[in-house]
Amino acid sequence: MKNFWNKYPEIDKEIQGVVNIIEKNAKCRDKIVEGSIIELLHSGGKMLRPSFVILSSKFGNYDKEKARALGAVVEMFHMATLVHDDIIDEATLRRGKETVQSKYGKNYAVYIGDYLFCICFKILAQIASKSTVKVDTMSMSRICMSEIDQLNSRFDKNVSVKKYLKRISGKTAELFSLSLYIGASESGCSKKMARLFWEIGHNLGMAFQVIDDVLDYTGSDEGIGKNSANDLKQGIYTLPLILALENKPKDLVELLQKDEYSNEDITEIISLINKYDGVEKARSIAHKYTNKAYKQIKSLPENEYREILLDIAKMLLDRAY
């Protein structure tokens, strides 16, 4: 995290304030719960969501304590979803470190995720308006339903691009939107500007997730397929594969019908996805969301925080994809 924010010392200082709030609120009598939250907090995340809260808050009447608290809420909400996702995925590693569910078991992981949600609402009840609490609750509901949609679409070779986009809109993009929106709304920005920040978050999140899914299929010989293999083995079809399947190519469809995929199968699936232009078509969709995000950010009032947001967006979206 530190290297990512070195260029922006003012934002880095605010993010450290967010970290302090999370550490303070993580304290409880069960030291496994407390220690797990602290470990996850310091596991190498970029703290993007709290930074979005802080940056959008700077466009209104900046209240340091409120902005930091709201940043802590969105980061802990994100952390809770990661803990629960790792249970569903039976993941053993997160950011290169052992997951909570692998280290302490699924039961503890469920309770740790639940405890994080409880802290979120405790803080919101203290500092946020009723309308922001309502927006937060609706976002949490949409994220949960999108997770369920993903579960229900496993191994579905007829999953559409529209369904995929709706799914990632309710996951990655939803929390990006929420972060930028509540910062603007709670700092007294106009409804029009708060809504613009929501749309910026949506397009940033959509592009970010599509690019991540593209990168799963375009790595080096040593790294290719490691992330996509995990999704494939669980039957989670991301955009490059969905696009490659649009014309139902026989060789790809037959390969996907296997009960289990060997390493050789994974390599062949990746090769076929590229052969049928799944990667290139997904890149094109990512570009559309990226361009929308840049255009919307540039329409914000001109100040140093607009430039920082644009700079961060470029670091996230102009990756080797």
Side-chain angles (χ1 to χ4, degrees):
M1 180 189 79
K2 201 68 179 175
N3 291 337
F4 191 83
W5 294 108
N6 280 348
K7 187 177 176 182
Y8 317 103
E10 180 185 351
I11 306 302
D12 186 41
K13 182 180 178 181
E14 294 304 292
I15 290 174
Q16 187 53 55
V18 171
V19 170
N20 293 341
I21 290 172
I22 296 174
E23 289 177 334
K24 178 182 177 181
N25 281 274
K27 294 184 183 301
C28 65
R29 65 174 180 268
D30 190 302
K31 296 308 169 185
I32 291 180
V33 172
E34 180 180 329
S36 296
I37 293 171
I38 301 302
E39 286 175 20
L40 185 57
L41 176 63
H42 292 284
S43 65
K46 293 184 179 69
M47 303 290 283
L48 290 174
R49 294 150 192 85
S51 78
F52 289 156
V53 174
I54 291 161
L55 285 168
S56 62
S57 295
K58 293 286 188 178
F59 286 78
N61 300 313
Y62 190 70
D63 181 329
K64 179 176 69 176
E65 298 306 321
K66 178 180 281 191
R68 289 178 176 183
L70 290 170
V73 167
V74 295
E75 183 62 20
M76 284 189 287
F77 181 38
H78 176 55
M79 290 164 63
T81 62
L82 296 182
V83 172
H84 284 170
D85 281 352
D86 288 339
I87 299 169
I88 300 297
D89 298 343
E90 298 187 353
T92 57
L93 292 176
R94 165 73 63 180
R95 298 168 181 164
K97 298 181 181 180
E98 190 173 11
T99 60
V100 174
Q101 72 95 18
S102 175
K103 191 171 184 178
Y104 299 110
K106 292 182 178 180
N107 291 347
Y108 247 111
V110 169
Y111 296 136
I112 289 165
D114 289 349
Y115 187 66
L116 281 163
F117 284 129
C118 291
I119 300 173
C120 289
F121 281 107
K122 181 181 76 172
I123 294 175
L124 281 172
Q126 294 169 347
I127 53 93
S129 64
K130 287 183 179 180
S131 61
T132 290
V133 173
K134 181 179 179 180
V135 171
D136 275 70
T137 304
M138 290 173 64
S139 285
M140 291 182 183
S141 174
R142 280 193 286 266
I143 291 170
C144 181
M145 292 309 300
S146 294
E147 293 284 2
I148 293 170
D149 287 343
Q150 177 173 285
L151 183 66
N152 289 335
S153 67
R154 290 170 69 238
F155 298 103
D156 181 4
K157 297 170 191 63
N158 296 311
V159 63
S160 65
V161 171
K162 183 178 179 180
K163 285 184 178 180
Y164 163 86
L165 294 176
K166 182 180 179 182
R167 183 205 309 163
I168 67 168
S169 173
K171 292 177 64 180
T172 308
E174 183 74 19
L175 200 46
F176 276 31
S177 289
L178 177 66
S179 301
L180 285 163
Y181 176 85
I182 63 173
S185 179
E186 285 292 318
S187 66
C189 291
S190 67
K191 290 183 179 180
K192 182 179 179 180
M193 184 177 288
R195 186 65 202 176
L196 174 58
F197 273 113
W198 181 281
E199 293 299 327
I200 290 170
H202 172 77
N203 288 311
L204 281 175
M206 296 295 282
F208 182 81
Q209 187 58 59
V210 173
I211 291 166
D212 258 12
D213 291 340
V214 167
L215 288 171
D216 285 350
Y217 294 98
T218 58
S220 65
D221 289 341
E222 293 79 16
I224 194 166
K226 287 185 178 178
N227 295 323
S228 56
N230 190 47
D231 282 342
L232 282 169
K233 287 175 180 177
Q234 295 181 62
I236 298 171
Y237 295 169
T238 57
L239 188 58
L241 177 53
I242 293 168
L243 290 166
L245 278 170
E246 280 188 319
N247 294 321
K248 299 292 186 291
K250 184 178 179 181
D251 47 359
L252 181 56
V253 171
E254 288 181 351
L255 193 53
L256 291 172
Q257 287 174 340
K258 289 189 174 184
D259 292 331
E260 292 184 12
Y261 305 135
S262 65
N263 290 336
E264 290 76 18
D265 291 332
I266 296 296
T267 300
E268 180 63 17
I269 289 169
I270 292 170
S271 176
L272 290 172
I273 288 170
N274 281 276
K275 175 183 175 181
Y276 294 116
D277 296 324
V279 167
E280 285 305 314
K281 290 177 181 177
R283 281 176 173 156
S284 178
I285 291 173
H287 278 303
K288 289 178 182 178
Y289 284 112
T290 298
N291 290 336
K292 284 182 182 179
Y294 290 162
K295 183 177 180 180
Q296 289 169 330
I297 293 171
K298 289 175 182 177
S299 73
L300 289 168
E302 187 175 352
N303 59 36
E304 63 180 298
Y305 305 108
R306 185 189 78 170
E307 300 311 309
I308 292 173
L309 181 58
L310 186 61
D311 203 12
I312 293 170
K314 288 178 178 178
M315 283 193 287
L316 295 176
L317 305 185
D318 292 353
R319 293 181 281 169
Y321 73 103

